[in-house]
Amino acid sequence: MRRDFRALPKMVAEDVGAHVVAVGMLLESEPEKALEHARYARRKASRSPAAREANGLAAYYVGNWSEALSELRAARRMGGQSHLATIADCERALGKPQRALELTREEEAARLPKDEAIELLIVGAGARRDLGQVEAAVVSLQVPELDPQRNESWSARLFYAYADNLLAAGRTREAFTWFVHAANADDDEATDAPERLEELVSELGGPEEAERLAAHAETEIVVSEDQEGAAGEDDGSDAGHGPRQGRSPASQDVDLGVWD
C-alpha cells in the first residue's frame, strides 16, 4: 500500500492512507462508516489499487454488489489483489451464477493461496446451487481439505458450506454430522453452526437421536486419530502424537446441553 501511494503528493498520500486504515478498522463493526471513508479515499486517489480495493470491500460488506464488483474489478486490473472469491460472490448476488462459475475456472484460481481457494470453492458451490445443481454443489466440495480432523482458518467455513448443501439436497443426517464438525472447528464463532444443529433436532426425531449422531461424529474423529497413531508407531514416526493439523482439544466437543 505504501508503494501504491508513492505516486501521490505526500499530503494526499497521508490523507488517503489514513482513510484506508479507517476502512480496515471499521469494516466489520461499522461497515457503513467504513464505506464513507473508502469512498473518500477513492475520490482522492482513483488511480490507486489500494483505494479502489478498500472501496470494493466496504461496498461488499454493506451489500452494494454492483459498486463492489466495479471497484474490485478496477483494483484487479490495476494490479491489486485479485479478491476472486469476492468478485465471484458479487456475480452471484447480482443473479449471474454462471459468470461466478466461470471465474472459478480461470487460470488465476489455481494459483490462489489456500484460504482464498477454499472461499472460491464455496462460492462456486453456491453458484451451482443457484442453478439448481444441488448434488453437483455437494460433490464440488468433496475435496481433500474436507477433513474433520483439520482445524485450519478455513475449516469451519468449508464444513458449514458442505453441511448446508447436504441439507439442501435432502441429506439431513449427513448435514447434521457436518454441522457438528463445523461447530467443533469454529473457534472464532464465525458461523451459526450450533443454531443450525438445534434447528435440525426435531427433524431427526428428537434430542436422543441428535445426541447419538453427534457422538458418532466425534467417534469417527477419535477412531481416525487412533488409526494414525498406530500407523505412526508402525513406521517409527511421530505421526500419531498429538492432535493433527493444529486441532485444538478445546474445539473437539459440541455443547449438547441445549437439547436436554
Side-chain angles (χ1 to χ4, degrees):
M1 196 178 296
R2 287 178 182 276
R3 288 195 301 270
D4 187 15
F5 291 155
R6 280 177 184 166
L8 301 172
K10 186 175 185 296
M11 294 297 291
V12 176
E14 290 179 356
D15 184 29
V16 171
H19 282 276
V20 170
V21 169
V23 174
M25 294 173 65
L26 296 169
L27 196 58
E28 294 191 9
S29 60
E30 298 181 82
E32 293 285 356
K33 285 188 177 180
L35 183 55
E36 291 177 14
H37 286 283
R39 286 171 173 167
Y40 176 90
R42 193 252 194 230
R43 287 195 302 271
K44 292 290 186 178
S46 61
R47 295 183 181 275
S48 161
R52 303 297 288 269
E53 177 186 350
N55 193 170
L57 291 175
Y60 177 80
Y61 264 72
V62 299
N64 289 358
W65 314 120
S66 294
E67 181 179 0
L69 185 59
S70 175
E71 294 302 309
L72 291 175
R73 279 176 171 171
R76 188 182 178 198
R77 286 195 302 271
M78 293 175 181
Q81 294 186 51
S82 69
H83 293 287
L84 202 58
T86 307
I87 290 173
D89 205 30
C90 288
E91 296 283 11
R92 275 193 67 204
L94 291 169
K96 300 176 182 178
Q98 193 61 54
R99 176 57 186 151
L101 276 179
E102 289 170 6
L103 288 169
T104 68
R105 302 186 188 108
E106 288 195 1
E107 184 178 338
E108 183 181 353
R111 301 192 300 269
L112 292 174
K114 181 62 69 176
D115 57 342
E116 293 180 35
I118 293 296
E119 285 299 321
L120 184 59
L121 184 72
I122 292 170
V123 173
R128 288 183 172 87
R129 187 164 152 185
D130 293 343
L131 292 167
Q133 303 169 5
V134 182
E135 287 294 345
V138 170
V139 172
S140 72
L141 294 171
Q142 293 172 351
V143 292
E145 292 80 6
L146 190 72
D147 178 352
Q149 291 187 65
R150 302 185 72 157
N151 191 11
E152 309 288 355
S153 60
W154 36 260
S155 294
R157 292 264 300 137
L158 177 60
F159 301 165
Y160 184 96
Y162 188 57
D164 194 44
N165 281 284
L166 283 168
L167 189 60
R171 296 160 63 176
T172 306
R173 295 170 69 83
E174 292 174 79
F176 185 90
T177 295
W178 281 97
F179 278 129
V180 170
H181 294 322
N184 283 346
D186 195 2
D187 297 330
D188 298 326
E189 299 182 354
T191 73
D192 64 347
E195 288 80 1
R196 298 297 298 275
L197 286 166
E198 196 170 345
E199 291 170 2
L200 290 177
V201 171
S202 60
E203 292 186 39
L204 293 169
E208 186 175 328
E209 181 62 13
E211 292 275 4
R212 192 188 70 77
L213 283 175
H216 180 68
E218 297 293 342
T219 301
E220 285 180 334
I221 295 174
V222 172
V223 168
S224 295
E225 289 175 345
D226 288 346
Q227 289 173 343
E228 287 192 355
E233 290 173 5
D234 288 343
D235 62 16
S237 72
D238 62 353
H241 297 282
R244 181 183 169 194
Q245 289 294 132
R247 182 177 175 81
S248 61
S251 71
Q252 295 188 20
D253 296 312
V254 178
D255 181 4
L256 307 181
V258 294
W259 300 334
D260 291 341

